[in-house]
């Protein structure tokens, strides 16, 4: 089972560390990551394996959103199938 995480906001030190620490603590494996900074805007998309998730999906989502608020970022997680359905042409 996989999920897609998106992170958008003003670039600052520690974004990747903050998100990846939550994932590690919840037993989530990062399969792929793409990040870029356009001027001072940071964007990141992660594909993660949640098959061994040690908390409920809703709890992981809350933790990521809370970290986003702390860092002034928008952080969202969606199951891969929902993400794909929303972005199908």
């Amino acid at each position: 089972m996989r999920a897609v995480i998106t992170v958008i906001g003003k670039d600052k030190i520690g974004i990747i560390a903050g998100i990846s620490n939550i994932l590690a603590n919840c037993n989530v494996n990062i399969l792929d990551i793409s990040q870029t900074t356009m001027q001072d805007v940071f964007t990141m998309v992660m594909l993660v394996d949640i098959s061994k998730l040690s908390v409920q999906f809703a709890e992981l989502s809350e933790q990521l959103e809370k970290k986003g608020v702390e860092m002034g970022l928008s952080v969202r997680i969606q199951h891969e199938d929902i993400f794909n359905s929303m972005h199908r042409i």
Side-chain angles (χ1 to χ4, degrees), residues 1-5 26 28 48 50 53-65 76-82:
M1 187 176 281
R2 301 187 313 183
V4 176
I5 298 171
C26 294
V28 174
V48 297
I50 56 172
L53 185 61
S54 60
V55 297
Q56 294 293 318
F57 187 83
E59 170 64 23
L60 173 59
S61 180
E62 284 179 28
Q63 287 185 39
L64 290 170
E65 285 187 38
R76 301 286 179 258
I77 185 170
Q78 295 177 304
H79 286 280
E80 182 184 33
D81 55 347
I82 294 171

Side-chain angles (χ1 to χ4, degrees), residues 19-83:
I19 299 301
S20 61
N21 282 335
I22 291 171
L23 298 177
N25 290 336
C26 294
N27 207 33
V28 174
N29 187 37
I30 299 169
L31 301 172
D32 201 356
I33 182 172
S34 173
Q35 69 89 39
T36 189
T37 305
M38 298 180 297
Q39 300 199 15
D40 65 344
V41 177
F42 177 90
T43 62
M44 178 169 66
V45 178
M46 303 171 104
L47 180 63
V48 297
D49 179 352
I50 56 172
S51 62
K52 297 179 181 171
L53 185 61
S54 60
V55 297
Q56 294 293 318
F57 187 83
E59 170 64 23
L60 173 59
S61 180
E62 284 179 28
Q63 287 185 39
L64 290 170
E65 285 187 38
K66 181 179 176 187
K67 178 56 76 174
V69 170
E70 289 173 10
M71 298 187 80
L73 306 166
S74 170
V75 181
R76 301 286 179 258
I77 185 170
Q78 295 177 304
H79 286 280
E80 182 184 33
D81 55 347
I82 294 171
F83 181 86

Side-chain angles (χ1 to χ4, degrees), residues 1-15:
M1 187 176 281
R2 301 187 313 183
V4 176
I5 298 171
T6 57
V7 181
I8 301 171
K10 187 166 174 59
D11 189 32
K12 60 182 72 182
I13 295 171
I15 296 173

